[in-house]
PDB file of all heavy atoms in Angstrom:
ATOM      1  N   ASP V 102     -14.257   5.522   9.252  1.00  0.00           N
ATOM      2  CA  ASP V 102     -14.690   6.089   7.969  1.00  0.00           C
ATOM      3  C   ASP V 102     -13.468   6.020   7.075  1.00  0.00           C
ATOM      4  O   ASP V 102     -12.493   6.725   7.299  1.00  0.00           O
ATOM      5  CB  ASP V 102     -15.109   7.550   8.252  1.00  0.00           C
ATOM      6  CG  ASP V 102     -15.456   8.310   6.987  1.00  0.00           C
ATOM      7  OD1 ASP V 102     -15.367   7.732   5.882  1.00  0.00           O
ATOM      8  OD2 ASP V 102     -15.764   9.499   7.115  1.00  0.00           O
ATOM      9  N   ILE V 107      -6.219   5.530  -5.234  1.00  0.00           N
ATOM     10  CA  ILE V 107      -5.235   5.007  -6.208  1.00  0.00           C
ATOM     11  C   ILE V 107      -4.432   6.213  -6.667  1.00  0.00           C
ATOM     12  O   ILE V 107      -4.985   7.119  -7.349  1.00  0.00           O
ATOM     13  CB  ILE V 107      -5.947   4.328  -7.398  1.00  0.00           C
ATOM     14  CG1 ILE V 107      -6.781   3.122  -6.873  1.00  0.00           C
ATOM     15  CG2 ILE V 107      -4.954   3.877  -8.451  1.00  0.00           C
ATOM     16  CD1 ILE V 107      -7.663   2.463  -7.914  1.00  0.00           C
ATOM     17  N   LEU V 145     -13.393   4.476  -2.562  1.00  0.00           N
ATOM     18  CA  LEU V 145     -12.246   4.083  -3.373  1.00  0.00           C
ATOM     19  C   LEU V 145     -12.221   4.950  -4.588  1.00  0.00           C
ATOM     20  O   LEU V 145     -13.175   4.970  -5.377  1.00  0.00           O
ATOM     21  CB  LEU V 145     -12.381   2.624  -3.786  1.00  0.00           C
ATOM     22  CG  LEU V 145     -11.308   2.110  -4.783  1.00  0.00           C
ATOM     23  CD1 LEU V 145      -9.921   2.106  -4.136  1.00  0.00           C
ATOM     24  CD2 LEU V 145     -11.678   0.669  -5.246  1.00  0.00           C
ATOM     25  N   MET V 262      10.262  -8.808   0.565  1.00  0.00           N
ATOM     26  CA  MET V 262       9.707  -9.091  -0.746  1.00  0.00           C
ATOM     27  C   MET V 262       9.356  -7.766  -1.374  1.00  0.00           C
ATOM     28  O   MET V 262       8.683  -6.929  -0.751  1.00  0.00           O
ATOM     29  CB  MET V 262       8.435  -9.959  -0.557  1.00  0.00           C
ATOM     30  CG  MET V 262       7.863 -10.464  -1.871  1.00  0.00           C
ATOM     31  SD  MET V 262       6.414 -11.556  -1.652  1.00  0.00           S
ATOM     32  CE  MET V 262       7.161 -13.088  -1.151  1.00  0.00           C
ATOM     33  N   LYS V 264       8.537  -5.634  -5.329  1.00  0.00           N
ATOM     34  CA  LYS V 264       8.319  -5.789  -6.754  1.00  0.00           C
ATOM     35  C   LYS V 264       9.527  -5.203  -7.549  1.00  0.00           C
ATOM     36  O   LYS V 264       9.704  -5.522  -8.733  1.00  0.00           O
ATOM     37  CB  LYS V 264       7.010  -5.170  -7.227  1.00  0.00           C
ATOM     38  CG  LYS V 264       6.853  -3.707  -7.003  1.00  0.00           C
ATOM     39  CD  LYS V 264       5.531  -3.209  -7.531  1.00  0.00           C
ATOM     40  CE  LYS V 264       5.172  -1.884  -6.942  1.00  0.00           C
ATOM     41  NZ  LYS V 264       4.775  -1.902  -5.550  1.00  0.00           N
ATOM     42  N   SER V 295      16.740 -29.869   8.095  1.00  0.00           N
ATOM     43  CA  SER V 295      15.541 -30.345   7.401  1.00  0.00           C
ATOM     44  C   SER V 295      14.273 -30.203   8.255  1.00  0.00           C
ATOM     45  O   SER V 295      13.179 -30.219   7.698  1.00  0.00           O
ATOM     46  CB  SER V 295      15.759 -31.809   6.935  1.00  0.00           C
ATOM     47  OG  SER V 295      15.615 -32.655   8.052  1.00  0.00           O
ATOM     48  N   THR V 298      11.120 -25.679  11.846  1.00  0.00           N
ATOM     49  CA  THR V 298      11.089 -24.950  13.120  1.00  0.00           C
ATOM     50  C   THR V 298      11.086 -23.460  12.836  1.00  0.00           C
ATOM     51  O   THR V 298      11.622 -22.971  11.848  1.00  0.00           O
ATOM     52  CB  THR V 298      12.319 -25.277  13.962  1.00  0.00           C
ATOM     53  OG1 THR V 298      13.507 -24.930  13.210  1.00  0.00           O
ATOM     54  CG2 THR V 298      12.392 -26.751  14.356  1.00  0.00           C
ATOM     55  N   ILE V 352      -9.063 -15.244  -5.200  1.00  0.00           N
ATOM     56  CA  ILE V 352      -8.804 -13.821  -5.426  1.00  0.00           C
ATOM     57  C   ILE V 352      -8.328 -13.616  -6.851  1.00  0.00           C
ATOM     58  O   ILE V 352      -8.774 -12.742  -7.575  1.00  0.00           O
ATOM     59  CB  ILE V 352      -7.798 -13.297  -4.398  1.00  0.00           C
ATOM     60  CG1 ILE V 352      -8.459 -13.270  -3.017  1.00  0.00           C
ATOM     61  CG2 ILE V 352      -7.275 -11.908  -4.779  1.00  0.00           C
ATOM     62  CD1 ILE V 352      -7.538 -12.807  -1.879  1.00  0.00           C
ATOM     63  N   ASP V 358     -11.907 -11.847 -13.509  1.00  0.00           N
ATOM     64  CA  ASP V 358     -13.308 -11.514 -13.851  1.00  0.00           C
ATOM     65  C   ASP V 358     -13.513 -10.004 -13.914  1.00  0.00           C
ATOM     66  O   ASP V 358     -14.115  -9.528 -14.851  1.00  0.00           O
ATOM     67  CB  ASP V 358     -14.251 -12.120 -12.813  1.00  0.00           C
ATOM     68  CG  ASP V 358     -14.649 -13.546 -13.149  1.00  0.00           C
ATOM     69  OD1 ASP V 358     -14.420 -13.942 -14.314  1.00  0.00           O
ATOM     70  OD2 ASP V 358     -15.191 -14.243 -12.267  1.00  0.00           O
ATOM     71  N   ASP V 364     -15.575  -1.295 -17.891  1.00  0.00           N
ATOM     72  CA  ASP V 364     -16.631  -0.289 -17.698  1.00  0.00           C
ATOM     73  C   ASP V 364     -17.124  -0.340 -16.271  1.00  0.00           C
ATOM     74  O   ASP V 364     -17.390   0.706 -15.648  1.00  0.00           O
ATOM     75  CB  ASP V 364     -17.813  -0.507 -18.657  1.00  0.00           C
ATOM     76  CG  ASP V 364     -17.420  -0.132 -20.080  1.00  0.00           C
ATOM     77  OD1 ASP V 364     -16.403   0.546 -20.246  1.00  0.00           O
ATOM     78  OD2 ASP V 364     -18.140  -0.548 -20.995  1.00  0.00           O
ATOM     79  N   GLN V 378     -14.594  13.942  -4.311  1.00  0.00           N
ATOM     80  CA  GLN V 378     -14.690  15.307  -4.831  1.00  0.00           C
ATOM     81  C   GLN V 378     -15.439  16.252  -3.881  1.00  0.00           C
ATOM     82  O   GLN V 378     -15.038  17.384  -3.652  1.00  0.00           O
ATOM     83  CB  GLN V 378     -15.353  15.242  -6.210  1.00  0.00           C
ATOM     84  CG  GLN V 378     -15.542  16.615  -6.915  1.00  0.00           C
ATOM     85  CD  GLN V 378     -14.204  17.229  -7.248  1.00  0.00           C
ATOM     86  OE1 GLN V 378     -13.321  16.552  -7.776  1.00  0.00           O
ATOM     87  NE2 GLN V 378     -14.032  18.487  -6.916  1.00  0.00           N
TER      88      GLN V 378
END
Side-chain angles (χ1 to χ4, degrees):
D102 173 2
I107 299 173
L145 173 65
M262 187 177 283
K264 61 178 163 288
S295 76
T298 57
I352 291 177
D358 273 344
D364 289 344
Q378 180 65 46

